[in-house]
Amino acid sequence: MVKRVLVTGGAGFVGSHVVDELLAIDVEVVVLDRIAPDVHPTRPDIPDGVELVERDVMDADAWRAALRGVDAVCHQAARVGLGVDFADVTDYVSDNDVGTAVGLSVLHDLGFAGRFVLASSMVVYGEGRYRCRDHGVVRPGVRSVASLENGDYEPPCPVCGSALTWEPVPEDAPVDPRNVYAATKLHQEHLCAAFEREHDVSVVSLRYHNVYGPRMPRDTPYAGVASIFRSALERGERPRVFEDGGQCRDFVHVADVARANVAALTIPEVSGPFNVCSGEPHTVLDMAEALCEAFGADAPIVVGGYRLGDVRHVVASPQRASDALGFDASISFDVGMREFATATLR
């Protein structure tokens, strides 16, 4: 059993819930977080008993200070979301790739031999898993701007051009990051895998699907779609749904994600990537409608359009996490969305 865990980004959305779960099982927690004003408009509360190192993950000395006495690391710190445009590329690579590399370098210097859990993402898959009636499992290419402009949102079979059906994505599916954020998350996985091969450690990469819940950041272009919709409702606006709203996703509650992290930190002899998901797929329009109903607001508006870098369908298989980590999501879509409609955002 781990006794003292470093949670990078432990003042943030997912990280703060991981901290709560660890404290609940009497694990000592150190938080490494720069508490940047652009991420935290108001200063977050740090629970009593948690040691806070308020510095940047790109600072090697910050890692050294935070790692004293630690026997496991839960690396949540990252710049998330699709971003505004490609001009964000340097910030993403710095925060995600360089920050991770600095931490792994310090762990190497210290001879760290504990568990390392990485917050990864389903975005590493790009488009999800698709099947053609005639050609079996296929990998559609990037949706063309012309198709998106024409309202042709479904990716066709790359062989014959016919319609496809989506299937749950297993962890051994090919990876195909489609935007800068996705590329950095995959590179983080690769850096951690290289570290694992050269050291006596086990690395677990948790590929989060669409996480939502209390403490989500509000009113930011880097937030997830759930936060964007919820922020619109707070402003008295109807959520605006891109494409036709038929994009399928797996929305997983942050409390379940925190439990998955604790399992990954504590289950002996486990490594590799795991989908962290509910196993309950819904469309983006489903989510917008559920939030509007729970909030007591008018129905969302389907506006068409698109965001470059978005994919059409990506829904996960929860089986590997269930078998190896004993993790199964416990909060249903309906219950979670009713709670989220009035939950506190940051």
Side-chain angles (χ1 to χ4, degrees):
M1 178 65 184
V2 296
K3 297 180 179 179
R4 184 175 171 86
V5 175
L6 167 60
V7 182
T8 70
F13 171 39
V14 175
S16 66
H17 286 273
V18 175
V19 169
D20 289 346
E21 287 288 323
L22 290 170
L23 293 175
I25 58 172
D26 296 323
V27 173
E28 294 181 16
V29 177
V30 183
V31 165
L32 172 57
D33 197 307
R34 68 185 179 191
I35 311 188
D38 61 331
V39 179
H40 303 279
T42 58
R43 188 171 178 84
D45 293 327
I46 304 298
D48 292 340
V50 171
E51 179 183 340
L52 172 63
V53 178
E54 191 174 342
R55 294 164 71 179
D56 199 300
V57 291
M58 288 187 286
D59 180 350
D61 288 337
W63 279 91
R64 292 189 185 94
L67 283 165
R68 293 190 187 105
V70 161
D71 53 10
V73 175
C74 188
H75 186 30
Q76 303 292 319
R79 184 175 292 268
V80 301
L82 191 59
V84 177
D85 59 32
F86 196 81
D88 292 325
V89 62
T90 303
D91 289 335
Y92 273 94
V93 171
S94 297
D95 290 344
N96 298 356
D97 297 344
V98 176
T100 299
V102 170
L104 294 174
S105 177
V106 173
L107 291 171
H108 169 76
D109 291 342
L110 296 176
F112 178 77
R115 177 67 54 80
F116 190 99
V117 175
L118 171 69
S120 186
S121 172
M122 56 88 172
V123 295
V124 302
Y125 296 120
E127 284 287 353
R129 182 181 174 95
Y130 291 86
R131 183 175 296 275
C132 173
R133 182 184 59 187
D134 296 323
H135 298 100
V137 174
V138 294
R139 297 179 63 190
V142 175
R143 296 182 296 171
S144 71
V145 170
S147 294
L148 293 170
E149 292 280 3
N150 197 42
D152 297 327
Y153 301 122
E154 295 290 340
C157 174
V159 180
C160 65
S162 63
L164 301 173
T165 55
W166 62 261
E167 297 180 346
V169 182
E171 288 82 352
D172 61 359
V175 290
D176 185 17
R178 298 286 177 92
N179 56 57
V180 168
Y181 171 60
T184 64
K185 296 313 288 185
L186 183 57
H187 192 213
Q188 283 183 292
E189 284 197 23
H190 288 167
L191 290 171
C192 292
F195 181 81
E196 180 179 38
R197 285 192 293 270
E198 297 187 24
H199 300 79
D200 184 22
V201 300
S202 65
V203 171
V204 178
S205 295
L206 299 179
R207 292 174 176 170
Y208 301 164
H209 284 251
N210 287 68
V211 187
Y212 71 96
R215 305 178 201 162
M216 255 190 129
R218 71 174 82 223
D219 293 326
T220 166
Y222 301 95
V225 65
S227 177
I228 293 170
F229 288 170
R230 170 60 202 284
S231 295
L233 288 168
E234 282 196 341
R235 294 192 302 269
E237 301 170 2
R238 297 162 66 187
R240 295 168 60 84
V241 181
F242 285 158
E243 302 188 14
D244 60 0
Q247 311 93 304
C248 280
R249 298 290 188 268
D250 187 303
F251 299 98
V252 57
H253 195 279
V254 67
D256 282 325
V257 175
R259 290 195 308 104
N261 274 274
V262 172
L265 288 162
T266 56
I267 297 292
E269 298 181 4
V270 65
S271 65
F274 294 93
N275 289 323
V276 176
C277 60
S278 70
E280 187 182 349
H282 288 273
T283 67
V284 172
L285 183 57
D286 288 340
M287 183 191 64
E289 290 175 337
L291 282 177
C292 288
E293 181 178 355
F295 202 84
D298 291 337
I301 307 170
V302 178
V303 298
Y306 58 91
R307 295 195 307 173
L308 285 175
D310 270 346
V311 297
R312 181 61 175 174
H313 305 298
V314 54
V315 172
S317 168
Q319 194 60 51
R320 188 167 188 263
S322 179
D323 293 342
L325 299 178
F327 167 72
D328 295 287
S330 62
I331 300 175
S332 71
F333 178 83
D334 291 339
V335 169
M337 288 298 161
R338 282 198 299 271
E339 178 214 59
F340 183 55
T342 57
T344 300
L345 303 185
R346 285 182 171 176

